Each structure stands twice: as structure tokens, then as C-alpha cells.
Amino acid sequence: SQQGEEDPQALSIQEGENATMNCSYKTSINNLQWYRQNSGRGLVHLILIRSNEREKHSGRLRVTLDTSKKSSSLLITASRAADTASYFCAKVYTGRRALTFGSGTRLQVQP
Amino acid sequence: EAGVTQFPSHSVIEKGQTVTLRCDPISGHDNLYWYRRVMGKEIKFLLHFVKESKQDESGMPNNRFLAERTGGTYSTLKVQPAELEDSGVYFCASSLTGARDEQFFGPGTRLTVL
């Protein structure tokens, strides 16, 4: 499958701790995007990293991309209870515009 | 600026009936996408419009699904006849054409087929 894997499937941490989620993919990508979904709501775009980039920052978010390992990670620093949500990695494969989503990581931040 | 909107938010129908979902993209976004998430599975791509043209419909599961985007503005996704396995959440997203590939998602339509 081209969808790849995300890990962990679920993560529970305390407020103030950092959360790291990982994503892998199988073939060449144009870019990789991370989305958040709060329970019962739509997907919110967090950050996009292109295939020629290695690291991007946005506020408390840090995304890395290792094209040699075909993997990406999302780091949320100093987590807050409001960060509780499901996080999805979505790949845009070369030659396409559609997003290919992973299975997601359910993050629970305990106050 | 209004985001992507979808209607209805929920739909409950019986097997064999027809349902039409609507998506209004962000004004000026040429690209419109449909995705769905069926129970316990990953979010999967259905199709992609550029203006009124179907650019990629490789994710459409079968010919019971028909998507249209007349005039290149809003889009409809019709399921006829609906089957039990069609239950899930149907998302619409839109994006600009150009260097940025960020897709903006609507809240989704939850479809339940009984």
C-alpha cells in the first residue's frame, strides 16, 4: 500500500511535555502535510513540508522530513490540553495532487 | 472569508435510496477534492476537479457514485443506490492552483446507510 504507516497509533502525555508522531511512506513525494482533527470536526491544516526541505517550524510545531528513509516526524512542544486531537500525515505523491492519508495518531494531553 | 462548507452535516438513509452531498469550496479555489472515511478505515481520496473538469477520479469506488461540478463552483456527490458500506464521513477540500498545495477541508458530511 502507498498509504504508509503512522506511529504511535495513540499517545497520552501530560501538559507541558513534548509529543512526537512519525509517518512513513513508500514512493517519491512532492510534499507531505500534517493535519489535525478534533473529535467530530473537520481537518485542519497544520504544516506542509516539501520534498527538498528537511525541517519546518510553525509556532510549537516542528516537522522534519528524511527522504532517504521516506519518513517524517511531527513534534509538538510544550503540549496543552487543547492539543488533544487526532493527527494525520498526508502525502502528495509525485505526479498527483491528491492527499494520501495515514491512519493517524490519537493524542491525549492530560491537564 | 468563508471556509469550505458542506451540506448536509448528517444524512441517514435506507439502503437503496439516493443521497446527494454538496460542497461549496472557498471562493476562487479552482481545485476541489472529495475524500471519505469509512468506519475504522483511513481517509481515502475519491476524486479531484480542476474547475469543472474531473482531473483524477481514480478513487471513485464504483459507478454508484457520481460527482459533478457544473460551472466550476460548488460540487455535488451523488450516491445511487446507497449501500451499507457507503456509510462514513465524506470530506470536501479545496485549494488554489499554484505553488501552494495546502488543501482546506470542510467539516464533512456523516452518511449513515441503514
Short mmCIF file of all heavy atoms in Angstrom, two decimals, chain A residues 4 17 37 39 44-45 60 62 81 90 94:
data_model
loop_
_atom_site.label_atom_id
_atom_site.label_comp_id
_atom_site.label_asym_id
_atom_site.label_seq_id
_atom_site.Cartn_x
_atom_site.Cartn_y
_atom_site.Cartn_z
N GLY A 4 1.42 3.93 3.68
CA GLY A 4 2.45 4.05 4.69
C GLY A 4 1.89 3.85 6.08
O GLY A 4 0.74 3.51 6.28
N GLU A 17 4.60 18.45 28.32
CA GLU A 17 5.53 17.51 27.69
C GLU A 17 5.49 17.69 26.18
O GLU A 17 4.60 18.31 25.63
CB GLU A 17 5.16 16.07 28.05
CG GLU A 17 5.37 15.75 29.51
CD GLU A 17 5.00 14.30 29.83
OE1 GLU A 17 4.22 13.70 29.08
OE2 GLU A 17 5.51 13.79 30.85
N GLN A 37 -7.38 16.73 13.50
CA GLN A 37 -8.83 16.60 13.53
C GLN A 37 -9.29 16.48 14.95
O GLN A 37 -8.95 15.51 15.64
CB GLN A 37 -9.31 15.38 12.73
CG GLN A 37 -10.84 15.30 12.65
CD GLN A 37 -11.33 14.08 11.93
OE1 GLN A 37 -10.67 13.04 11.89
NE2 GLN A 37 -12.50 14.18 11.31
N SER A 39 -12.31 15.88 17.64
CA SER A 39 -13.38 14.89 17.61
C SER A 39 -14.61 15.42 16.90
O SER A 39 -15.17 16.45 17.28
CB SER A 39 -13.73 14.48 19.04
OG SER A 39 -14.78 13.53 19.03
N VAL A 44 -7.93 20.19 9.96
CA VAL A 44 -7.28 21.50 9.97
C VAL A 44 -5.84 21.33 9.53
O VAL A 44 -5.10 20.51 10.09
CB VAL A 44 -7.33 22.14 11.37
CG1 VAL A 44 -6.54 23.44 11.39
CG2 VAL A 44 -8.77 22.38 11.79
N HIS A 45 -5.45 22.09 8.51
CA HIS A 45 -4.08 22.01 8.01
C HIS A 45 -3.12 22.62 9.02
O HIS A 45 -3.35 23.72 9.52
CB HIS A 45 -3.98 22.74 6.68
CG HIS A 45 -2.65 22.63 6.02
ND1 HIS A 45 -1.62 23.51 6.25
CD2 HIS A 45 -2.19 21.72 5.14
CE1 HIS A 45 -0.58 23.15 5.54
NE2 HIS A 45 -0.89 22.08 4.86
N ARG A 60 4.61 26.12 17.91
CA ARG A 60 5.11 24.99 18.72
C ARG A 60 5.27 23.71 17.91
O ARG A 60 5.56 22.65 18.47
CB ARG A 60 4.14 24.75 19.88
CG ARG A 60 4.09 25.88 20.92
CD ARG A 60 3.16 25.56 22.08
NE ARG A 60 1.77 25.40 21.65
CZ ARG A 60 1.12 24.24 21.67
NH1 ARG A 60 1.71 23.12 22.07
NH2 ARG A 60 -0.15 24.19 21.28
N ARG A 62 7.11 21.40 14.96
CA ARG A 62 8.32 21.23 14.19
C ARG A 62 8.16 19.95 13.37
O ARG A 62 7.85 18.90 13.92
CB ARG A 62 9.54 21.11 15.09
CG ARG A 62 10.83 20.77 14.38
CD ARG A 62 11.99 20.70 15.35
NE ARG A 62 13.17 20.07 14.73
CZ ARG A 62 13.69 18.91 15.13
NH1 ARG A 62 13.17 18.25 16.15
NH2 ARG A 62 14.74 18.42 14.52
N ALA A 81 -3.63 20.91 26.86
CA ALA A 81 -4.82 20.05 26.79
C ALA A 81 -5.57 20.26 25.48
O ALA A 81 -6.14 19.33 24.91
CB ALA A 81 -5.73 20.33 27.98
N ALA A 90 -0.30 13.35 5.62
CA ALA A 90 -0.87 13.18 4.29
C ALA A 90 0.19 13.47 3.25
O ALA A 90 0.82 14.53 3.28
CB ALA A 90 -2.08 14.10 4.10
N THR A 94 4.46 12.23 -6.13
CA THR A 94 4.93 12.86 -7.35
C THR A 94 3.95 12.58 -8.49
O THR A 94 3.55 11.44 -8.71
CB THR A 94 6.33 12.33 -7.71
OG1 THR A 94 7.21 12.61 -6.62
CG2 THR A 94 6.85 13.00 -8.96
#
